[in-house]
Amino acid sequence: MSVDFNELSIRELSRNYGRRRALSRVSMECRAGEVVGLLGPNGAGKSTLLSIVSTLSTASSGEVRYEGRTAAELGPHLRARIGVLSHELHLYPELTARENLMFFARLYGVTDAAAKASAALERASLGDRANDVVHGFSRGMRQRLALERALLHSPKLLLFDEPFTGLDDASTVALIARFKELRLSGRIVLVATHDLETAEEVLDRAAVLRDGRLVAVETDVRGLRRRYQAHLHSAVAAS
């Protein structure tokens, strides 16, 4: 089955864990060629939302539609169109950088895996460390490698959970540039982050979550920190 889509629609999405509600009737839209941020304090529901959109978790109610079709309708082929970068980078520390990328390229069924792994290493500025084991890499190096791992199969939808964590200035600048490339290539990018200053440089829109609820959507990300804090304050006052 051919699976392609240019729109992601999240409709009245809720997720309960026993008596705790991690998400409560969240609705939002994302389109190809834009980077949408998920902002909120710890426990706001950002990671839960990404997990459901990635099909790794299921919703208690509501649905996610990929250009009008659900994950159940699209079947397992949908996952081949999704790239995920989570807190767990899913790299094998005992393997070299090249071996990691080759393993995942073959897992994804990527053609010409060796060439694409080499190109990915260059994009990650790790060409000179290709044959070094990942165990000795800094957090920033592993983060860059994991990002390219998530992109090897040319996914349409990209889901990033705190991608700027632990990065030095140079790695942050490189990741910002990569986000801009992804936007220009027509990907749908959904990113959860606490780094509001960096977010201003990469986001087109920002959704603010608190206690599992969507409390605001910002279409202008300039001066984001002030408005973000105001939204959280208003949400607390209303609760």
Side-chain angles (χ1 to χ4, degrees):
M1 172 188 271
S2 174
V3 176
D4 200 13
F5 51 92
N6 290 304
E7 295 178 348
L8 174 73
S9 179
I10 298 166
R11 303 179 180 179
E12 295 286 309
L13 205 65
S14 295
R15 173 61 178 170
N16 303 325
Y17 293 98
R19 304 174 91 179
R20 183 176 73 85
R21 175 158 284 194
L23 285 177
S24 181
R25 301 182 67 180
V26 172
S27 296
M28 59 187 296
E29 308 285 331
C30 305
R31 295 176 294 276
E34 69 173 353
V35 181
V36 179
L38 297 177
L39 311 180
N42 292 334
K46 304 185 300 296
S47 296
T48 299
L49 180 57
L50 290 178
S51 182
I52 294 172
V53 173
S54 73
T55 77
L56 295 177
S57 295
T58 57
S60 300
S61 62
E63 63 182 8
V64 181
R65 288 188 169 268
Y66 310 81
E67 195 121 324
R69 296 174 290 178
T70 66
E73 291 168 341
L74 291 169
H77 300 284
L78 172 62
R79 288 189 174 180
R81 304 298 286 145
I82 300 175
V84 178
L85 179 64
S86 63
H87 291 292
E88 174 54 55
L89 298 180
H90 299 293
L91 298 172
Y92 292 95
E94 69 276 14
L95 299 181
T96 67
R98 186 184 302 281
E99 287 169 341
N100 266 280
L101 292 182
M102 288 290 291
F103 171 80
F104 284 103
R106 289 166 177 158
L107 190 66
Y108 294 142
V110 171
T111 57
D112 202 4
K116 290 187 176 177
S118 294
L121 288 164
E122 292 301 324
R123 281 194 299 270
S125 300
L126 291 170
D128 61 338
R129 302 293 300 272
N131 297 316
D132 293 348
V133 294
V134 170
H135 177 74
F137 283 11
S138 68
R139 171 70 190 196
M141 293 165 65
R142 285 183 282 123
Q143 192 90 341
R144 296 200 306 271
L145 182 63
L147 174 64
E148 296 304 328
R149 183 267 307 157
L151 295 169
L152 275 171
H153 56 303
S154 300
K156 183 66 176 187
L157 172 63
L158 297 166
L159 307 171
F160 298 144
D161 198 350
E162 299 295 347
F164 298 101
T165 299
L167 299 188
D168 59 20
D169 289 344
S171 295
T172 298
V173 169
L175 185 51
I176 289 171
R178 199 74 172 98
F179 268 96
K180 292 177 179 178
E181 291 174 9
L182 294 171
R183 177 194 288 118
L184 290 173
S185 68
R187 313 295 178 93
I188 304 171
V189 183
L190 194 56
V191 53
T193 182
H194 285 103
D195 191 335
L196 299 184
E197 282 74 20
T198 301
E200 288 187 27
E201 298 191 51
V202 298
L203 299 184
D204 297 296
R205 292 185 291 123
V208 181
L209 298 172
R210 182 178 176 88
D211 297 327
R213 297 181 181 274
L214 179 65
V215 298
V217 175
E218 286 289 343
T219 57
D220 182 356
V221 297
R222 293 172 297 181
L224 187 58
R225 178 174 291 280
R226 175 180 53 79
R227 295 199 304 281
Y228 166 74
Q229 291 174 339
H231 289 311
L232 293 188
H233 178 76
S234 298
V236 171
S239 62

